[in-house]
Amino acid sequence: MRAGAALAAMVLLGGAAAPMDPDNPTCPAAPDFGPAKAMTLTPADRDGKRVLLAEGAIDATLPARLKAAIEADERIEEVWLRSRGGNARAGNEAGKVIRSYRGMLTRIPAGWACFSACNFVFMGGDRRVVDDGGVFMVHMFTHTGDRATIDEVVIEGSKATTEYIASVEQSSALLASEDNDFLIRMGISRKLLTDIMYRQQAVKSEDNPSTRYCLSQAEVREYNVMPEEKSAP
């Protein structure tokens, strides 16, 4: 099954020539997340449409900046995304901003990758398209995936470890609840969480190095990440 998914991802990325990540075989070895800095928002004309190019990391200022950028140009009808993720709650809020504009389409163009918090910005689109060769990459959403921080707390002793793990569990449970609510509101199948996201490891293990999963074209349709486009009556 894993091999089949990897093959599907290879086709998704445009053929066998695209090198795949050996640790995460459904994903490209060198995904294009855009610049490693705060997300820029650039209006542009593409294929006869006015689009907003959203490229870079998601920070706490994004929801307000995104709303301002869309309000500043009433011709914008699509938001194109590539990002390594960032602030999870800001990603949710940015997705809600996009959903407030009826008919707004979000797109992951061919060759671009949308990961982690970017998933939730993308899912805010009233209409959503993952182009052939576009990468919708997910992982396990947890309060922290920082193994080094956990190790430091363990060294401090059992009381500190217990308190830290309790904090992580509480925050992760709250974030999971928010994720679930968000998917319901956006019309995404909750099975995306249970079947895919929550089955990923937060940190790699000795037996299994995989921590990421890239959905195939069939899967983005199955979970309604990319809804079927209906012809206007």
Side-chain angles (χ1 to χ4, degrees), residues 70-131:
I70 295 174
E71 290 289 335
D73 191 339
E74 63 181 14
R75 294 185 299 146
I76 291 172
E77 54 185 301
E78 295 189 9
V79 179
W80 292 15
L81 290 154
R82 58 173 170 166
S83 172
R84 67 192 65 244
N87 187 308
R89 287 194 171 88
N92 283 22
E93 291 304 312
K96 292 174 185 176
V97 167
I98 292 176
R99 181 53 63 93
S100 70
Y101 296 93
R102 186 174 180 180
M104 185 67 71
L105 184 146
T106 49
R107 183 183 299 274
I108 305 174
W112 286 21
C114 179
F115 180 49
S116 192
C118 179
N119 300 155
F120 289 81
V121 182
F122 173 79
M123 290 187 291
D126 195 23
R127 300 158 57 215
R128 302 179 293 273
V129 175
V130 181
D131 286 339

Side-chain angles (χ1 to χ4, degrees), residues 38-166:
M39 182 171 278
T40 58
L41 303 169
T42 310
D45 294 312
R46 295 288 188 275
D47 302 325
K49 298 177 181 178
R50 189 66 168 173
V51 306
L52 186 66
L53 306 178
E55 306 170 87
I58 295 165
D59 65 5
T61 71
L62 179 62
R65 293 192 297 111
L66 182 59
K67 183 175 179 63
I70 295 174
E71 290 289 335
D73 191 339
E74 63 181 14
R75 294 185 299 146
I76 291 172
E77 54 185 301
E78 295 189 9
V79 179
W80 292 15
L81 290 154
R82 58 173 170 166
S83 172
R84 67 192 65 244
N87 187 308
R89 287 194 171 88
N92 283 22
E93 291 304 312
K96 292 174 185 176
V97 167
I98 292 176
R99 181 53 63 93
S100 70
Y101 296 93
R102 186 174 180 180
M104 185 67 71
L105 184 146
T106 49
R107 183 183 299 274
I108 305 174
W112 286 21
C114 179
F115 180 49
S116 192
C118 179
N119 300 155
F120 289 81
V121 182
F122 173 79
M123 290 187 291
D126 195 23
R127 300 158 57 215
R128 302 179 293 273
V129 175
V130 181
D131 286 339
D132 286 335
V135 180
F136 186 85
M137 180 188 296
V138 305
H139 69 142
M140 167 65 84
F141 285 86
T142 56
H143 180 68
T144 180
D146 188 349
R147 186 75 249 175
T149 299
I150 295 173
D151 290 343
E152 288 176 9
V153 174
V154 170
I155 291 171
E156 290 177 14
S158 60
K159 185 175 185 295
T161 302
T162 300
E163 291 174 351
Y164 185 72
I165 290 175

Side-chain angles (χ1 to χ4, degrees), residues 207-225:
D207 295 334
N208 182 7
S210 178
T211 57
R212 302 177 180 184
Y213 188 87
C214 294
L215 274 67
S216 67
Q217 283 285 301
E219 288 169 329
V220 294
R221 291 182 173 88
E222 177 183 354
Y223 298 109
N224 211 40
V225 172

Side-chain angles (χ1 to χ4, degrees), residues 141-197:
F141 285 86
T142 56
H143 180 68
T144 180
D146 188 349
R147 186 75 249 175
T149 299
I150 295 173
D151 290 343
E152 288 176 9
V153 174
V154 170
I155 291 171
E156 290 177 14
S158 60
K159 185 175 185 295
T161 302
T162 300
E163 291 174 351
Y164 185 72
I165 290 175
S167 174
V168 169
E169 288 178 340
Q170 184 177 37
S171 297
S172 295
L174 180 58
L175 186 57
S177 177
E178 292 173 359
D179 291 347
N180 190 63
D181 180 67
F182 184 91
L183 262 65
I184 292 171
R185 292 187 181 198
M186 300 303 157
I188 312 293
S189 171
R190 285 181 293 173
K191 288 185 177 181
L192 177 64
L193 293 177
T194 58
D195 290 1
I196 303 292
M197 289 183 175

